[in-house]
Amino acid sequence: MSALLPCPPLDTSAAGLLSEEDVLPDLWVWHRQGLRTALVTLVGIDGAAPRPLGAQMAVAEDGRHVGYLSGGCLEQAIVLEAQDVIRAAQNRLVRYGRGSRYIDIKLPCGSGLDLHFDITLCSEQMSTMALYRAARKGFALRSSLSGGSSQVTLLAKDAPRLCAREGDVFSRVFLPRMRLLLLGSGPALTALARLAQAVGLETEVWSPDAATRLAIRSAGLEAGGEPRLNEDAIDRLDSSSAVVLVFHEHDVEPDILARLLRRDCFYIGVLGNRAVHTQRLHALSALGVDAEDLARLRAPVGSIQGAKTKTTLAVGILAELMAEAKARHLVA
């Protein structure tokens, strides 16, 4: 038997809507506490469904659970089923809704949902997943729906990013948690930081303005304020990262943007009207940034045109950012 991999500390303090989409941290904590658990995955959809293929719930033997697989009509039944699977100590594939043996459980949409209840994940597999997550590496959990075995595999760079069922095997893809780097100052930056925190994004803030840093910290976030933006903050950005610049002194932006455009961020948004953005593009061109990279910039930023308050600006930016994340399959 191979030795267990060391498992990095788990951050289970992140609140927000996205925490309901990511059930692994709770699953790991319950496993460490010695509780038997079940990982429940939506592996088949016959018709329409409120949740995507690969949506998950984690259930502990004492009934604690996280995640959701319907609009609220199935969750309690799933918890009871998971507890029964845990007691029986054998994985199970269950159909709910259309074609189900549970004729008393109705789905308003009239569809059929296939759920896989997996109670076989071992400490080594959970440690491997935690290590990949800490290293921001994408991975897949490949489960045999009839054989009762699962395998954790690191995703190749060109591997599909979508969950998929191929015959008896279901591949549940896990990508790095979305990261948001906020740069700038003022009330709009603070509002965006608060909203990103509420949603559950991994958020980092840098501001040269002391008042903005104080407001950010009052929201429970750290805010760096070194005279020059730390290179490490940019080097940590990857394809699951987004950046928003909220500067009112736009002359500080070109050098920062030139560095950001060398990274593989999926979204780079910049505050300012069209006239300001035209000047920005000229400055970046003078620094040698090519047209293809310039086209990656979102400006004016946000999906709410003409936003004039910090709230509408922050909501519009986050909506645009999340729409781009969905288009890239970073969120469902």
Side-chain angles (χ1 to χ4, degrees), residues 137-139 154-161 175 239 264:
K137 295 181 181 295
F139 61 93
L154 193 63
L155 281 183
K157 188 172 183 181
D158 57 349
R161 265 36 183 177
L175 297 178
S239 60
D264 190 24

Side-chain angles (χ1 to χ4, degrees), residues 101-181:
R101 62 190 175 94
Y102 294 127
I103 60 175
D104 58 326
I105 300 177
K106 304 293 185 182
L107 297 182
C109 59
S111 301
L113 304 180
D114 294 322
L115 305 184
H116 183 241
F117 292 75
D118 188 352
I119 51 87
T120 62
L121 291 176
C122 65
S123 296
E124 183 172 3
Q125 289 171 319
M126 293 196 188
S127 295
T128 299
M129 289 192 289
L131 285 169
Y132 286 157
R133 173 65 59 84
R136 295 187 64 80
K137 295 181 181 295
F139 61 93
L141 179 64
R142 293 175 53 84
S143 302
S144 170
L145 302 183
S146 61
S149 63
S150 297
Q151 181 183 14
V152 181
T153 59
L154 193 63
L155 281 183
K157 188 172 183 181
D158 57 349
R161 265 36 183 177
L162 292 175
C163 303
R165 181 173 177 174
E166 298 178 7
D168 183 54
V169 176
F170 186 83
S171 295
R172 205 307 185 174
V173 172
F174 296 88
L175 297 178
R177 184 181 173 195
M178 274 198 299
R179 171 181 287 161
L180 175 61
L181 175 61

Side-chain angles (χ1 to χ4, degrees), residues 218-280:
S218 71
L221 288 166
E222 283 302 312
E226 301 82 3
R228 187 171 182 271
L229 177 60
N230 195 322
E231 289 285 351
D232 290 343
I234 293 180
D235 290 343
R236 287 193 295 270
L237 298 173
D238 54 28
S239 60
S240 293
S241 300
V243 188
V244 179
L245 275 67
V246 187
F247 285 104
H248 299 280
E249 299 79 17
H250 298 290
D251 58 324
V252 304
E253 295 173 344
D255 288 338
I256 295 174
L257 286 171
R259 293 157 61 196
L260 289 173
L261 288 169
R262 291 194 288 268
R263 306 299 300 175
D264 190 24
C265 308
F266 76 88
Y267 178 94
I268 303 176
V270 198
L271 189 70
N273 58 32
R274 287 179 173 78
V276 168
H277 189 53
T278 298
Q279 295 175 0
R280 179 187 294 128

